[in-house]
Amino acid sequence: MEAFEKIIGNEDAKTYFKKAVRENQLSHGYIFEGAYGVGKNTFATELAKLILCEQKEGDRPCNQCKSCSMINAGTHPDVIQIEKDTKVTKVETIRENIVREMDIKPYQSDYKIIIVKAADSMSVQGQNAILKTIEEPPSYGIIILVCENLSSLLPTIKSRCIVVRFNPIQKEQMRDYLQRKGITGIQQEVLEKLSNGSIGVINDILEDETYLEIRKQSINYLDRLEKAQIMELYEIVKEMTEDKENIERILEFWLLWYRDIAVVKATNNDDVYYKDYQQQLLDMSSKLTYNKVSQNIEFIKSAILDVRQNIYSTFVIENLLLKLKERKK
């Protein structure tokens, strides 16, 4: 199998690493930066297979040798993948799994490869703990820091690593991916837009049986709110706050809805997240001014922040719905 064959997109990164491995010009430190779900972690694992594959002739990685099989199974002693502990990757995790491990020579390969997932979750202390390892790596060491937010990493770390940018998947590639999964028509267009070029987002949506149902419910709430008298408004508040674990998701769907209304009012094009609700978008956009749409977007953003800060949800949603219901220009 050709290297990175199963990975969609990011052809420049594929070409770069094939050449680097072929010509033995690998760096000791890389930063893989890009949005969630564009294939950074998968690419890092496939790169480890390519580097450590025991096949000397033909396509690499072979996916058959002992090294490839162990990496596929997650049991290769010279490939260490570090997951985020909680909201941050703890200093102890860094010291134990990077600093100390890198001091130990490879068990069965020419290289020891450490892949740090969600590297932007490392605290300043954690980043400082690995700085010397990155500055003075052993000849066999390769560290790959995977992140979404490059600015969260210290300048001293960024300056000592090669940054590889992973871009969103192109529309044509995303369309092909969805079609291979048997998804076509309006559903394909909706999922393609919701993905924002991320295979990971698509897979999360398809694996979450509640996602599209909650999306539908979020629009149902807005339809009801538009026609609601005061008692009906408080009934919506009650229903939403009883479903606490989905409040933030509903509000995020509302943000996309009002973003779409702004797009429709400004350009009248169909590059929208709610392509399957176009008539409703047109109807509501005709009733709201630009100023009101902008206000509603800010109201919802503020409510999301309040929910994340654990402010009393009934108060937050009640206040939000009353503001959305206002007919101010």
Side-chain angles (χ1 to χ4, degrees):
M1 176 185 293
E2 186 178 349
F4 312 116
E5 187 176 278
K6 291 186 177 181
I7 294 176
I8 301 172
N10 288 291
E11 302 304 322
D12 289 346
K14 295 176 185 178
T15 301
Y16 169 80
F17 280 108
K18 287 177 186 177
K19 181 179 179 183
V21 173
R22 184 172 63 250
E23 298 181 1
N24 196 26
Q25 292 183 338
L26 288 165
S27 172
H28 292 288
Y30 293 99
I31 297 172
F32 287 5
E33 184 223 5
Y36 168 78
V38 295
K40 305 181 299 296
N41 290 315
T42 303
F43 195 102
T45 302
E46 289 299 305
L47 175 59
K49 282 201 311 193
L50 176 60
I51 293 169
L52 301 184
C53 180
E54 297 167 3
Q55 177 76 34
K56 302 304 179 186
E57 297 180 0
D59 290 339
R60 300 175 63 205
C62 66
N63 275 303
Q64 295 178 344
C65 68
K66 180 180 178 182
S67 177
C68 286
S69 298
M70 293 180 78
I71 293 175
N72 285 336
T75 57
H76 199 299
D78 298 325
V79 179
I80 299 166
Q81 303 207 33
I82 299 173
E83 304 280 351
K84 181 169 66 171
D85 295 315
T86 50
K87 288 187 176 180
V88 298
T89 303
K90 298 175 183 175
V91 177
E92 294 76 12
T93 301
I94 301 299
R95 289 176 178 149
E96 185 70 30
N97 294 293
I98 299 180
V99 179
R100 292 176 189 170
E101 275 290 343
M102 200 55 93
D103 285 338
I104 303 170
K105 291 183 178 180
Y107 294 96
Q108 64 182 51
S109 311
D110 293 331
Y111 292 96
K112 175 168 283 189
I113 302 171
I114 297 180
I115 301 167
V116 185
K117 299 179 180 180
D120 41 358
S121 72
M122 292 188 294
S123 65
V124 172
Q125 293 84 353
Q127 293 183 53
N128 280 322
I130 64 167
L131 191 53
K132 186 175 180 181
T133 303
I134 291 175
E135 288 176 332
E136 302 173 10
S139 59
Y140 52 78
I142 297 176
I143 294 178
I144 302 173
L145 305 176
V146 182
C147 71
E148 295 179 32
N149 184 9
L150 186 63
S151 64
S152 295
L153 299 179
L154 294 174
T156 45
I157 287 182
K158 289 185 283 190
S159 67
R160 288 163 175 79
C161 296
I162 294 175
V163 178
V164 182
R165 171 69 186 173
F166 284 77
N167 298 308
I169 309 304
Q170 295 178 358
K171 284 187 176 181
E172 295 76 14
Q173 294 171 320
M174 186 64 73
R175 190 170 298 124
D176 290 343
Y177 179 76
L178 288 167
Q179 287 174 351
R180 289 199 301 272
K181 287 185 167 291
I183 299 170
T184 58
I186 191 68
Q187 186 184 14
Q188 173 196 301
E189 294 181 46
V190 169
L191 290 176
E192 187 180 310
K193 182 65 178 176
L194 286 170
S195 75
N196 286 321
S198 168
I199 295 292
V201 168
I202 285 292
N203 290 336
D204 287 347
I205 292 173
L206 295 177
E207 291 168 9
D208 183 353
E209 296 178 356
T210 67
Y211 183 93
L212 294 177
E213 186 57 39
I214 294 169
R215 176 176 177 268
K216 181 179 179 181
Q217 180 62 55
S218 71
I219 303 308
N220 177 259
Y221 282 140
L222 289 176
D223 282 342
R224 288 169 58 192
L225 179 64
E226 185 182 10
K227 307 178 186 74
Q229 300 299 320
I230 192 68
M231 293 306 297
E232 173 66 8
L233 184 147
Y234 283 104
E235 182 62 30
I236 297 171
V237 172
K238 180 174 181 291
E239 290 178 27
M240 289 183 64
T241 53
E242 284 178 348
D243 189 16
K244 289 183 180 179
E245 62 184 42
N246 289 316
I247 288 178
E248 188 175 334
R249 181 180 281 185
I250 289 169
L251 297 181
E252 288 169 347
F253 282 135
W254 286 1
L255 266 186
L256 296 181
W257 177 260
Y258 281 104
R259 175 266 178 201
D260 279 1
I261 290 177
V263 168
V264 169
K265 288 186 73 66
T267 65
N268 202 31
N269 70 28
D270 61 355
D271 183 26
V272 293
Y273 290 93
Y274 288 93
K275 200 162 189 174
D276 48 340
Y277 287 89
Q278 278 192 309
Q279 190 56 53
Q280 290 96 316
L281 281 174
L282 289 170
D283 291 344
M284 190 171 286
S285 68
S286 67
K287 299 172 184 175
L288 299 175
T289 64
Y290 286 106
N291 190 45
K292 179 58 177 170
V293 173
S294 179
Q295 284 181 341
N296 285 357
I297 288 172
E298 294 307 313
F299 292 151
I300 296 166
K301 286 180 179 178
S302 179
I304 290 173
L305 289 176
D306 288 344
V307 168
R308 288 174 179 169
Q309 293 170 6
N310 294 318
I311 296 176
Y312 184 48
S313 60
T314 298
F315 170 79
V316 172
I317 300 303
E318 178 184 320
N319 187 47
L320 173 62
L321 296 192
L322 288 170
K323 287 179 176 179
L324 296 181
K325 187 72 173 168
E326 288 175 350
R327 292 298 180 185
K328 290 181 180 178
K329 303 297 183 185

